[in-house]
Amino acid sequence: MKTLTTAHLTGIAGLTAEDVHTLLDTAQEFKEVLNRPIRKVPTLRDLTVANLFFENSTRTRLSFELAEKRLSADVVNFSASGSSVSKGETLVDTVNNILAMKVDMVVMRHPHPGASKFLAERIPNTPVINAGDGTHEHPTQALLDAFSLRERLGELAGKKIAIVGDIRHSRVAISNILCLQLLGAHVRVCGPRTLVPRHIRSLGVEVSHDLDETLRWADAVNMLRIQLERQGGEGRVPYFPSLREYARAFGLDKERLDRLDRVPWILHPGPINRGVEVTSEVADGPHAIILDQVENGVAVRMAALYLLAPVRP
Ligand code: CP
């Protein structure tokens, strides 16, 4: 049986190329399980997984819960709202209380960058999976994106993948860059100058501010959500003049795609701001693989849970 070189999945940083291939190949096997009439396997029977969500989520939370249930794990869910966090309880106290109830693995989303690593260092014997930590990393999103790209493009070595939009505030961008580079892809980021931080070049990516040229270059484009909630509060749009102007320069619509000889595959991690990053016509059109990403997320998370699960004596 293949294993990972890490006891926790706090980010793509720290994984080897071999780890990423192992995760994707294992996810392929679980995708086959999910397409059988009986979609459940006993792999994690008698293990209990806690899903700790200190920040909102739809896709990631449902996907992890479904993955855990398909693997026959027992599942407990925790949301910060309605918990004793609002009474001042610390993250470590919260988690230690949950672990005292004999939890075997923890999946955590948290608004603070580095929260998963902080937790993993304090509960080293309980595997921690990062479900998104602030602007830091979202490793299972990058893995499901790579899995979905591999389905369409084959092996990703040498393929050209563009990440478009709000790079500055995106954990998905960082995890995608690291994951795609481990798989040998060429990665370009594209967006307004205000949303592409200068230091991103130090990761070895190309930088462009021209979406039309990037669309001609790319085999696939991952259209990131504009994260208004991380841009200084509601009602303020300090990084570009208006959403309409952003959409005109960096949004995908049918007219833009119609000008291309070859249309790249289109990804979006969700939730979509329809009419901003992509129009509905594009999001629901033949080149978008956005719902494939969601479907593949369950298989990828099953693989991560399976490969990190503690071995029972
Ligand atoms: N892609 C993603 O992380 O979506 P959620 O915030 O709904 O989990």
Side-chain angles (χ1 to χ4, degrees):
M1 180 191 130
K2 287 203 166 185
T3 54
L4 301 179
T5 58
T6 176
H8 308 275
L9 183 59
T10 58
I12 300 294
L15 295 185
T16 63
E18 180 75 18
D19 287 333
V20 174
H21 282 291
T22 299
L23 282 155
L24 299 184
D25 293 345
T26 307
Q28 186 62 54
E29 290 173 31
F30 281 124
K31 183 157 181 179
E32 282 154 31
V33 170
L34 291 172
N35 285 316
R36 290 183 198 155
I38 297 172
R39 292 171 291 206
K40 201 162 175 172
V41 286
T43 317
L44 296 193
R45 196 169 53 203
D46 298 331
L47 290 183
T48 302
V49 185
N51 298 315
L52 311 183
F53 278 72
F54 294 86
E55 190 188 75
N56 294 342
S57 168
T58 300
R59 277 146 293 272
T60 311
R61 183 180 184 136
L62 284 175
S63 183
F64 265 113
E65 187 170 345
L66 213 48
E68 291 148 9
K69 289 181 171 168
R70 298 284 188 237
L71 292 168
S72 303
D74 292 322
V75 178
V76 286
N77 291 309
F78 166 94
S79 299
S81 59
S83 75
S84 290
V85 170
S86 60
K87 299 177 198 162
E89 190 166 48
T90 66
L91 171 60
V92 174
D93 279 342
T94 300
V95 173
N96 277 334
N97 276 274
I98 293 169
L99 294 182
M101 299 177 212
K102 307 284 182 240
V103 163
D104 302 292
M105 300 179 80
V106 171
V107 172
M108 186 174 77
R109 169 167 289 194
H110 201 279
H112 292 148
S116 301
K117 196 154 187 293
F118 173 87
L119 184 63
E121 284 164 3
R122 279 151 187 85
I123 54 166
N125 298 322
T126 305
V128 174
I129 301 180
N130 181 2
D133 59 340
T135 54
H136 177 227
E137 280 227 40
H138 194 348
T140 56
Q141 180 71 45
L143 289 164
L144 73 88
D145 291 346
F147 186 94
S148 305
L149 285 167
R150 206 173 71 158
E151 282 187 328
R152 299 293 174 160
L153 296 171
E155 286 305 321
L156 298 184
K159 299 296 188 309
K160 296 173 181 169
I161 315 297
I163 304 170
V164 177
D166 187 354
I167 311 298
R168 179 178 293 280
H169 302 100
S170 178
R171 56 194 174 208
V172 175
I174 301 299
S175 290
N176 258 268
I177 291 168
L178 298 175
C179 186
L180 291 167
Q181 287 179 333
L182 282 174
L183 294 170
H186 300 296
V187 186
R188 175 188 286 204
V189 298
C190 175
R193 289 176 197 282
T194 49
L195 289 178
V196 179
R198 282 176 198 273
H199 65 74
I200 206 78
R201 284 183 199 272
S202 68
L203 294 180
V205 296
E206 288 185 29
V207 173
S208 169
H209 306 292
D210 181 342
L211 179 59
D212 293 303
E213 194 276 320
T214 293
L215 290 170
R216 289 193 293 276
W217 173 86
D219 296 308
V221 288
N222 198 341
M223 306 299 293
L224 300 183
R225 183 171 70 86
I226 287 294
Q227 303 198 27
L228 292 176
E229 77 278 15
R230 298 194 203 277
Q231 295 189 20
E234 260 177 49
R236 278 193 68 215
V237 189
Y239 288 91
F240 42 85
S242 69
L243 286 175
R244 185 197 289 250
E245 198 145 328
Y246 177 85
R248 196 175 304 135
F250 293 101
L252 277 188
D253 58 16
K254 187 167 178 303
E255 291 67 41
R256 196 159 234 149
L257 296 187
D258 283 346
R259 292 199 293 269
L260 298 169
D261 293 332
R262 180 197 60 141
V263 179
W265 294 110
I266 297 161
L267 297 87
H268 193 301
I272 302 173
N273 295 309
R274 285 177 182 257
V276 180
E277 301 101 23
V278 289
T279 60
S280 286
E281 206 174 8
V282 170
D284 304 329
H287 304 288
I289 56 170
I290 297 168
L291 291 179
D292 292 10
Q293 292 171 264
V294 177
E295 178 185 344
N296 292 333
V298 179
V300 162
R301 289 171 176 128
M302 287 171 81
L305 289 157
Y306 166 70
L307 290 164
L308 291 166
V311 179
R312 310 292 279 176

